[in-house]
Each structure stands twice: as C-alpha cells, then as structure tokens.
Amino acid sequence: MSASRRSGTTDELGPDEPERDGSDLLAALLDGMDAALCAFDADGVLTHWNREAERILGWTAAEAVGRRGFAGWAVRTADAEEVEARLMSAMEAPGRQVQEFALLTKEGGRVLVRTQSAAVRGPDGKPAGVYCAFSEVHTQIDLERSIALSEALFEDAAWGVVLVDADLRPAVVNAHAAQALGAGRGSVLGRPLGDLLSQGVEELESALTHVLSEGAPPAPAEMWVNVRTPEGGRRRCWLSGFVRLASPLAEEPVPLGVGWLFQDVTEAKQTEQEAALLRFRAHQLHRAARAAAECESPAEAAAVHLDFALAGFADHALVDRVAGGGPADGPVRLVRTVATPAGAPGPSQVTGKAGLPLRYGEGHPALQCVDRAGSVRADAAAADPERAREWALARQWPRDSVHALCAVLRSRGRTLGVVTFLRSAGRSRFERADAMYAEDVAVRIATSLDLAELTEGP
C-alpha cells in the first residue's frame, strides 16, 4: 500500500478524524494510479511508494519508505550516486524531467524504466522534495507506438479510417475517408450516415450494429454504396474492416464505438464484373451456335440465337424483318418475324407468316435503326409508371418495357431488319458494351434469316 512515513507526521496527528481521512484518501489515490510513483524529501529520503512501484520492483511500501535514495537496494551501488543526482536535480529544474535508467528488483533482476520527475514545493514556494513517476520502458514504448499508430492512421493512411460512436455517427475521420465521403473532415463529424450516403447506408449501419453487439467479423466485407455529391450519386465499392472499441478503464467491456477501415476497390470490382460478364456472354454465343447448328429450319435457328442472348441480358426481344425488297424501294415497312412471349416466360416464337406490316410511327427506334444501319438506344424518360406504360404501348412493345436497344440485321451487304431487346424497370439502361453484344447476336440472327430466305423463299 502507499505509505507516508508512519513514524512521522501522520502518526503524530492523533485521533483528528478529518486529517486521518485526508491521509487515507491520499493513500487510496496513490494506490489507484496506473503508473508507479515514489517521492523523496529534500534530504533524499523516500516518503511515498505506491502499489504499482511494488508490482514492478517487488519492494513493498514498508521496505521502501524511510530509505535514503536507491543505493544498495533498488540501484546498483556503482550507479547510485549518478541516479540520485539526476533525480534530485529536478528540485532546481523548471517543469518535468524525463530520464531512463535501470532499477533493481527485489529478486535481483534489472528493469529499465522511464521516469518523469518534478519538484514538490512547500508552503513557502521553495522546493521541499521530488516526486518521480516511472514505468517499464517497454510499456511506455508500447503506449507510444499505439499513439503513433493512431496518428499515422488519421494522417498518412492510404485508406479510409473512421471512428463511429455508439450512435453510429462519425466521431473521428481521417483525410482519406473524408475525401471518399465527399465532405470535409469537420463537416462529417456527428452527422448521420444517411446524410452522406444515398444507398447502402442500411447495410453499413447493420454491420456497425453487429460489431457493437457481437464484435469484429472474421473477414473484410465488400459494400456497395452511393455517395452523395453535388453532381449526384457516385456508386463505389468499399472493402471494409471493422473493430469494436472498448474502454480499457472499465471493469466490464464498455463499447465506445467501432473503428471502420475501408479501401475503395470500385475499379477492381468493375473490371472483375466486366470480365465475368464477357466470359458469360461468350459462353452463351458459343452455346447458341452449337444449338442453332442442330436446327433444321434457319428461322428456328434465329429464334434459338435470340433465346440464348436473352439470358441475363434483357426481358423481352423482338425480330422485325424488312418487308418487300428493302429500304431502297420506298418507306420502310417491318414485319414481326420472331418474338418472345409477352406474358409467361418461354421460348421465342416464329411469327409473321401473314406478312402484315407493323404500325410503327415516324421516329420509332426500329425505323431509326434501319435508316442509320446502326444501333439505337431508347429509354422511357417519364418517372411515372403509367406514363412509362404509355410510352411502351405507343411503340408496340410489352407494357413493362422502359429501356430499349435496337440492332440492325445485315447480311451480304443488305439490311434485313432489326432485333430489339427490351428491359423492364428492374434493370439498368443499356450501355455501349450491351450494344456491342447485341450487334454480335444480330449478325448471327441475320445470317440465319438470310439463309431462310435463300432456302425457303421470302
């Protein structure tokens, strides 16, 4: 336990309870410190020795208090004079002095300690002694490393670091994370994550809640989010790791929040997804060619190509063939040749034997495709579902269509027609890569239709 000199001031006070209570409070405070602490009077006699000092060196308060200096017991005799001089020099020096030297344990071992010493002033303001707080050097180094790591993470890290409090709001944000969130470091603090992210916030908050209650997950997680920016949402993929922060000072672990570390892997994930999509589409084209080769009718082979192309690409597909001799003979008229069922899913059906032309209005995407001899994309601009249905029905497409891609059918230098792929509201709009795939499919369909014309007649 902590000790003031039992034969001195404390014992001579007698039964004065307030003074004794003050002494007990001082002893309790000293014993509760995490650092080892000792104190010397002006003559170099040890007056205080707390439990942490006893734990590090093994000497009890009863064995330490009252000794003059460390010579002969806590310091080697050869080093005692130098150590004492360095400690007592704090009486005359301003502020604190930080020093390192070796002390002896009760068992005879040596412990390298780092000390912070400063003068103790009396009522007259003159130095009355020295107090010295010390800890093992490796413990101090561990603390300094932890602090240095924290500072490096929040200043120099090449990935985002965010400390999220128990209310799931950012409490500390490094520069990289602030840039990824599209805001300044100060403006991010204390704001709900929903103010920073337009999509993916539910998944992120669920992960943070799980870490607070259950602890860190065993592996990083990929999270797709939409970051709010003045220009609109910016879709990103963040590889995220989480650690639960608990107070080391509490008897029971008390969650202080979550440490969230993330790295932007959007480009790598997009490249990976594009490669997987290309492999899938190439495989579908290969399978379609194998299946079409077994068809007796070229028209049936065209339907097979359409069915294989539809998987994972669109919801509906139509093949319209140019009626008559072609575009050069007058206004373009198109006849429906192959179509996927508009209701329940099923194989494409060969139609149009009656040869009745479709009532496409001027400016229809299919007519534009024939006129340009190139691909045309169209989208229902209206956000209202009813107006989007009207847009689709006006173009004689299934009513749930909101995105369209028309690719021209050409063979032997002639335009034979148009293949139209349609997507519903649950899918994204067609992109340039989708147009390239549709053009590959169109080449195969056009070849089959041209062969059908040669073998079966117009």
Side-chain angles (χ1 to χ4, degrees):
M1 62 179 291
S2 305
S4 295
R5 286 182 293 174
R6 301 301 184 194
S7 59
T9 307
T10 304
D11 289 341
E12 293 178 357
L13 289 174
D16 189 352
E17 290 300 324
E19 289 295 337
R20 184 169 296 277
D21 289 345
S23 176
D24 292 341
L25 175 59
L26 175 61
L29 289 173
L30 295 179
D31 282 342
M33 294 179 63
D34 291 331
L37 186 137
C38 61
F40 301 87
D41 63 16
D43 297 326
V45 177
L46 200 65
T47 61
H48 295 81
W49 187 264
N50 72 347
R51 285 189 183 276
E52 185 66 12
E54 177 180 340
R55 186 194 68 80
I56 293 175
L57 298 180
W59 302 96
T60 66
E63 294 170 320
V65 172
R67 291 179 181 263
R68 182 181 179 86
F70 287 146
W73 62 287
V75 173
R76 293 192 311 172
T77 304
D79 300 331
E81 184 176 350
E82 179 189 356
V83 170
E84 183 175 351
R86 290 167 63 185
L87 284 175
M88 300 309 292
S89 66
M91 291 180 60
E92 306 298 334
R96 294 179 301 170
Q97 288 188 330
V98 178
Q99 305 176 73
E100 291 182 6
F101 46 78
L103 296 180
L104 296 178
T105 67
K106 189 174 182 179
E107 290 75 20
R110 298 183 71 198
V111 178
L112 184 62
V113 299
R114 179 172 296 176
T115 67
Q116 295 186 40
S117 53
V120 177
R121 305 288 175 180
D124 56 359
K126 296 181 179 180
V130 173
Y131 79 84
C132 174
F134 62 91
S135 60
E136 297 174 81
V137 166
H138 71 82
T139 303
Q140 185 72 18
I141 291 175
D142 289 343
L143 175 61
E144 291 177 359
R145 283 174 178 161
S146 298
I147 295 173
L149 174 62
S150 299
E151 292 181 350
L153 286 175
F154 286 107
E155 295 298 334
D156 306 322
W159 53 86
V161 182
V162 181
L163 296 190
V164 182
D165 63 21
D167 294 326
L168 306 186
R169 301 194 179 203
V172 185
V173 179
N174 75 342
H176 190 92
Q179 182 179 6
L181 292 168
R185 294 180 67 175
S187 61
V188 171
L189 304 182
R191 295 174 60 185
L193 293 173
D195 289 352
L196 307 170
L197 307 174
S198 57
Q199 292 183 9
V201 65
E202 295 85 0
E203 292 79 2
L204 178 56
E205 289 183 342
S206 176
L208 294 171
T209 302
H210 173 81
V211 174
L212 280 172
S213 59
E214 303 293 335
E222 292 175 358
M223 293 192 170
W224 284 94
V225 300
N226 261 32
V227 181
R228 296 184 188 273
T229 65
E231 296 79 21
R234 184 180 58 185
R235 187 161 173 78
R236 313 304 296 169
C237 181
W238 290 339
L239 182 64
S240 301
F242 304 92
V243 290
R244 180 166 61 177
L245 306 178
S247 172
L249 304 179
E251 293 184 5
E252 296 292 334
V254 178
L256 296 178
V258 176
W260 170 31
L261 294 84
F262 65 90
Q263 187 174 21
D264 194 320
V265 294
T266 307
E267 293 184 6
K269 292 303 297 182
Q270 288 177 341
T271 301
E272 180 182 328
Q273 290 175 352
E274 290 171 0
L277 184 61
L278 287 175
R279 287 195 300 269
F280 173 75
R281 289 178 175 177
H283 185 56
Q284 286 296 96
L285 291 174
H286 173 74
R287 292 178 61 199
R290 294 286 299 273
E294 302 300 324
C295 295
E296 296 182 1
S297 166
E300 182 184 352
V304 167
H305 280 294
L306 197 65
D307 287 334
F308 275 94
L310 205 63
F313 182 68
D315 298 305
H316 306 288
L318 313 168
V319 175
D320 300 330
R321 186 158 185 180
V322 175
D329 296 338
V332 175
R333 293 181 303 159
L334 297 175
V335 177
R336 182 68 41 82
T337 302
V338 183
T340 55
S348 300
Q349 301 170 352
V350 179
T351 62
K353 293 183 179 180
L356 298 177
L358 297 164
R359 295 178 293 105
Y360 284 163
E362 186 178 353
H364 191 284
L367 297 178
Q368 294 181 34
C369 182
V370 172
D371 184 54
R372 299 176 185 176
S375 299
V376 174
R377 285 177 283 173
D379 302 280
D384 179 25
E386 186 59 36
R387 294 186 62 184
R389 282 193 291 269
E390 295 175 359
W391 177 86
L393 293 175
R395 287 153 180 79
Q396 300 185 46
W397 291 333
R399 60 188 301 143
D400 60 341
S401 304
V402 295
H403 307 294
L405 171 60
C406 299
V408 66
L409 303 176
R410 289 185 60 82
S411 178
R412 294 188 295 152
R414 299 179 304 143
T415 297
L416 302 183
V418 179
V419 57
T420 302
F421 294 99
L422 301 167
R423 289 177 178 175
S424 60
R427 292 177 180 263
S428 62
R429 65 189 304 270
F430 289 101
E431 303 294 342
R432 179 56 193 157
D434 298 323
M436 295 174 64
Y437 177 62
E439 290 164 0
D440 285 344
V441 176
V443 169
R444 289 161 170 77
I445 294 176
T447 301
S448 297
L449 293 181
D450 196 16
L451 180 61
E453 183 178 325
L454 291 174
T455 58
E456 302 172 3

